Amino acid sequence: MRAYKVFNPDFTCHGQKFEVGGRYTEYKDRETGRIVTDKSIELCKKGFHACVKPAKCFSYYNFDNKNIVCEVELHGDTQGDENDKLCTNDIEIIRQLTWDEVLKVVNTGIDNTGLDNTGDRNTGNQNTGDRNTGNQN
């Protein structure tokens, strides 16, 4: 299953280093910090986490262009909700998205169109400049 995952600027997540093209099946238990090799997963505790809907990633990470956003493939067992986040025991990092691509995929879909996203309130001086990046936009 294709999904999206955000990493820290140094390409880490919960202390584990990743890279594009890598496939990972061992991860750190978030509570103990120990490497898990038995393939068990538990949402928010054990496993690799990703979101099918790219905008959902930013419920868990700051919307910061220093972070790295990647398209990933979930190969193993999965647990969770496709409308929120999923957990797996086998993840492959397919490719890193540019921030132009991130903006496009985050701003598409049902929740990003309609009355509140079009019209007079979305043009003009208030909608350009430094105030239109970061967590509140």
Side-chain angles (χ1 to χ4, degrees):
M1 170 184 298
R2 288 287 167 128
Y4 296 88
K5 182 165 181 57
V6 178
F7 299 91
N8 296 316
D10 62 354
F11 226 131
T12 62
C13 182
H14 295 284
Q16 187 170 350
K17 185 81 169 164
F18 294 85
E19 64 182 29
V20 172
R23 187 164 172 177
Y24 304 88
T25 58
E26 294 182 351
Y27 51 87
K28 288 185 179 182
D29 182 301
R30 291 184 183 188
E31 291 178 355
T32 67
R34 295 184 181 142
I35 297 294
V36 175
T37 58
D38 67 1
K39 307 284 188 216
S40 63
I41 57 174
E42 186 177 349
L43 194 62
C44 299
K45 293 183 180 180
K46 295 180 182 179
F48 304 105
H49 293 76
C51 300
V52 174
K53 295 180 178 181
K56 282 293 183 179
C57 292
F58 299 104
S59 298
Y60 306 100
Y61 279 85
N62 289 332
F63 195 76
D64 183 343
N65 66 358
K66 292 180 183 84
N67 286 335
I68 297 169
V69 181
C70 288
E71 185 177 349
V72 298
E73 184 74 26
L74 310 181
H75 293 287
D77 297 332
T78 59
Q79 185 180 87
D81 180 355
E82 288 184 26
N83 291 313
D84 189 20
K85 70 177 171 180
L86 295 169
C87 178
T88 186
N89 54 14
D90 186 345
I91 192 168
E92 181 179 5
I93 314 304
I94 302 298
R95 69 184 188 96
Q96 181 176 342
L97 279 67
T98 66
W99 269 90
D100 282 342
E101 289 176 302
V102 171
L103 293 173
K104 286 178 186 170
V105 297
V106 166
N107 290 304
T108 58
I110 292 172
D111 296 331
N112 294 298
T113 60
L115 184 60
D116 294 335
N117 292 297
T118 60
D120 293 340
R121 287 185 228 122
N122 292 299
T123 61
N125 293 336
Q126 299 292 324
N127 292 294
T128 60
D130 293 337
R131 287 185 224 121
N132 289 294
T133 59
N135 294 339
Q136 297 180 11
N137 291 292

